[in-house]
Amino acid sequence: MANQPKSFEEFYYLQEDKICDIEVLEEYITNNNGNVGKYEGNMYCPECRKAILAFWHKSSKRRAHLKRIPSSSHRETCSYNYEYASSKKVKEYVDSLTYNEIQDKLNSIINMLCKQRKSDIGKTMVGDVGISKEQNPMLIVERKENTDVLRALRRKRLNTWIDQSDGEDFSVFYGKVKLGIREKTKVNESTGEPYTFYFLDIFTQNKQGEWKYRTNIYRGSIKDEINKEAVYNIVMIGCLNFKFRPFTIDLANRDAIKFQEVNSSFREG
């Protein structure tokens, strides 16, 4: 189990039975003279909806965030109960899966993280009857001293603030996005032959409702099939790379991405 308290960028708001972003809370607090007001005591873990959260204001060292209050606890099946898996173990885990296995994993994660904002999915929430901790898609099994140990995957929404303070550990990146394809051609220095490679561009929506470029993912020879006008739910396992501004995301492997056109069937990376 986790020794250090984890922070949250979103929360389950009991009074309205929905998942809210921390930006909503920050705006409310700013407009109410620094008071948490109606949200106090009504903010819960977005995954298990049991642990009560409290707001921590922005400081010189850390952005505003939510933390579990010490007197409350998560459900046993909640991934926030468990220590984070190391990047090495996440990479080993992803590489151990077949294509279908990793796609099934991402499918479960996208259902949990991208669709749980709907109030009618309570029956499928982690912690409810019939869902065990082994079935929680945000947990992976790590072999340690001949014993299977559950470890949690880090998570990061794509439309929140991201900078180098977030580190470069393997994480689950997710959110609602628009997509674009960029094609580039270079000449192989050894053979003199041209070759083509692709990037998947990701756009997120700002407060004004505008879709702005966020980041990109190198796809090599893979040219993903996308609809430029569509909105997608996307999930990927990768790490931040700050070599190119503002950042790029390096996938754990080429199959560790999945996106679904909203209100349509899955499209696979």
Side-chain angles (χ1 to χ4, degrees):
M1 300 261 172
N3 294 319
Q4 297 182 349
K6 296 179 172 65
S7 61
F8 301 76
E9 296 178 330
E10 55 189 13
F11 60 96
Y12 171 67
Y13 181 39
L14 178 63
Q15 295 303 310
E16 295 183 6
D17 187 25
K18 67 179 183 180
I19 304 296
C20 297
D21 300 331
I22 194 173
E23 288 83 4
V24 172
L25 177 61
E26 287 185 283
E27 184 175 357
Y28 176 89
I29 291 172
T30 299
N31 294 333
N32 288 273
N33 301 314
N35 295 317
V36 179
K38 66 179 184 179
Y39 290 102
E40 188 167 5
N42 289 305
M43 298 180 293
Y44 291 79
C45 169
E47 184 177 311
C48 70
R49 304 187 180 186
K50 181 185 177 187
I52 304 173
L53 308 181
F55 178 74
W56 291 69
H57 290 272
K58 178 181 178 181
S59 69
S60 60
K61 295 183 179 180
R62 191 167 185 180
R63 65 180 71 115
H65 60 283
L66 294 157
K67 280 188 178 181
R68 175 183 63 83
I69 64 171
S71 60
S72 71
S73 60
H74 296 281
R75 297 183 191 275
E76 182 187 1
T77 51
C78 183
S79 70
Y80 284 102
N81 253 337
Y82 298 86
E83 293 180 8
Y84 286 128
S86 67
S87 282
K88 178 182 177 182
K89 293 300 182 181
V90 174
K91 174 64 173 170
E92 289 176 356
Y93 172 79
V94 173
D95 287 342
S96 73
L97 301 177
T98 65
Y99 173 79
N100 287 334
E101 288 171 339
I102 187 61
Q103 292 298 305
D104 286 345
K105 182 78 168 179
L106 296 173
N107 181 37
S108 296
I109 293 175
I110 208 170
N111 281 325
M112 172 185 280
L113 299 185
C114 298
K115 295 184 177 181
Q116 66 173 332
R117 291 166 186 271
K118 299 177 182 179
S119 61
D120 60 354
I121 55 88
K123 292 182 180 180
T124 61
M125 288 301 297
V126 169
D128 287 350
V129 176
I131 299 179
S132 67
K133 56 190 176 184
E134 288 79 12
Q135 293 172 308
N136 186 333
M138 291 302 294
L139 293 174
I140 65 173
V141 176
E142 178 181 316
R143 193 70 175 169
K144 189 174 183 180
E145 297 178 355
N146 297 319
T147 303
D148 287 340
V149 179
L150 290 173
R151 293 284 187 257
L153 296 170
R154 292 175 171 82
R155 66 184 78 183
K156 185 73 181 178
R157 282 191 300 115
L158 289 166
N159 64 332
T160 59
W161 182 265
I162 296 176
D163 60 23
Q164 289 182 312
S165 67
D166 290 299
E168 298 178 2
D169 293 304
F170 277 111
S171 304
V172 171
F173 295 92
Y174 68 99
K176 274 192 171 54
V177 301
K178 282 193 172 183
L179 301 173
I181 301 294
R182 271 189 299 127
E183 177 181 309
K184 287 193 174 184
T185 301
K186 285 189 176 182
V187 175
N188 188 303
E189 295 181 359
S190 300
T191 65
E193 295 293 325
Y195 65 97
T196 301
F197 54 98
Y198 302 91
F199 294 88
L200 184 66
D201 288 334
I202 295 177
F203 303 82
T204 56
Q205 197 171 27
N206 62 21
K207 291 182 179 179
Q208 291 71 43
E210 304 167 317
W211 292 94
K212 297 292 186 180
Y213 173 80
R214 184 60 165 156
T215 186
N216 70 74
I217 301 165
Y218 175 69
R219 298 295 280 146
S221 61
I222 297 174
K223 184 177 182 180
D224 294 296
E225 294 183 11
I226 60 106
N227 175 357
K228 289 184 179 181
E229 304 304 318
V231 177
Y232 292 89
N233 287 320
I234 193 169
V235 164
M236 69 199 84
I237 300 176
C239 59
L240 296 171
N241 184 334
F242 295 98
K243 182 178 180 181
F244 302 101
R245 290 189 173 185
F247 62 88
T248 57
I249 297 175
D250 297 336
L251 297 177
N253 67 35
R254 60 187 286 168
D255 299 328
I257 181 172
K258 191 161 195 170
F259 47 92
Q260 174 198 25
E261 189 172 334
V262 174
N263 298 324
S264 184
S265 59
F266 279 107
R267 296 175 181 268
E268 299 177 355

